[in-house]
Amino acid sequence: MNKEKAQKLTESYPMLFRKHNGEVCSLDETFGFECGSGWYDLINELCAEISEIVQSSEMQLWPNVVQVKEKFGGLRFYIHTSDFTNAMVTEADKLASDAMIEKIYQSISKAESKSLVTCEECGLPGKLYQASWVHVKCKTCEAIYQQKDILK
Ligand SMILES: [Zn+2]
């Protein structure tokens, strides 16, 4: 993903992209977003959804996004919820936290499914191409990719 878009994401969701010491994570220090810019909207929507889930839950515990990447053609969005355990005092806390985590994972898997029909290059509707490298592209981006491949 290009730097400008990546930065926009980390700045829009400082709680999700914070480091463990509370600072906003710098893309130079982490892996950044290891996927194409076409998935920007998808990731942006997912982050907004997660923020809403956290804000509407009783616990208000923020997961940490640790890695965002493309794997086998689809989006992978990894979070940490390890800080949550310290905040859970009662059984009700644990139930509330479990319910929140489940909702978050539902959102993540929805976004991951969506990525399989979203061009990783430009964000238009696309499909999964099983070439030497499995990827999701729209017709136009795939044609460009094929052409480059021939020229190689
Ligand atoms: Zn495309």
Side-chain angles (χ1 to χ4, degrees):
M1 178 173 295
N2 74 43
K3 226 173 168 138
E4 190 193 323
K5 286 195 165 163
Q7 209 161 357
K8 224 166 143 186
L9 286 171
T10 51
E11 284 173 7
S12 304
Y13 307 99
M15 286 303 284
L16 291 178
F17 295 102
R18 74 195 187 281
K19 287 195 287 198
H20 273 291
N21 59 12
E23 290 169 30
V24 174
C25 74
S26 146
L27 291 167
D28 305 328
E29 291 171 38
T30 65
F31 296 111
F33 298 84
E34 299 171 278
C35 63
S37 300
W39 287 350
Y40 171 81
D41 284 342
L42 207 87
I43 295 167
N44 187 39
E45 258 170 53
L46 174 60
C47 292
E49 240 179 74
I50 294 174
S51 303
E52 226 179 274
I53 293 168
V54 173
Q55 277 158 351
S56 64
S57 88
E58 293 156 47
M59 298 295 286
Q60 301 260 334
L61 294 170
W62 289 85
N64 255 96
V65 180
V66 287
Q67 205 181 6
V68 181
K69 65 175 185 182
E70 175 276 326
K71 195 179 178 187
F72 304 127
L75 172 73
R76 295 291 185 279
F77 193 93
Y78 298 113
I79 56 166
H80 258 186
T81 54
S82 47
D83 296 349
F84 290 15
T85 332
N86 303 330
M88 287 186 254
V89 183
T90 65
E91 190 61 23
D93 289 347
K94 197 186 166 327
L95 288 175
S97 153
D98 286 350
M100 188 184 79
I101 291 172
E102 201 187 311
K103 270 192 201 164
I104 291 172
Y105 277 109
Q106 275 170 4
S107 287
I108 291 174
S109 78
K110 208 174 66 190
E112 289 178 346
S113 309
K114 248 181 169 174
S115 75
L116 292 172
V117 290
T118 307
C119 177
E120 195 186 343
E121 208 70 38
C122 72
L124 284 173
K127 66 167 200 159
L128 195 68
Y129 288 90
Q130 313 251 11
S132 52
W133 159 59
V134 184
H135 55 271
V136 180
K137 285 202 194 312
C138 67
K139 268 187 185 161
T140 314
C141 292
E142 177 62 15
I144 295 168
Y145 167 72
Q146 294 278 356
Q147 203 119 47
K148 273 188 197 154
D149 215 33
I150 291 163
L151 294 175
K152 251 182 235 163

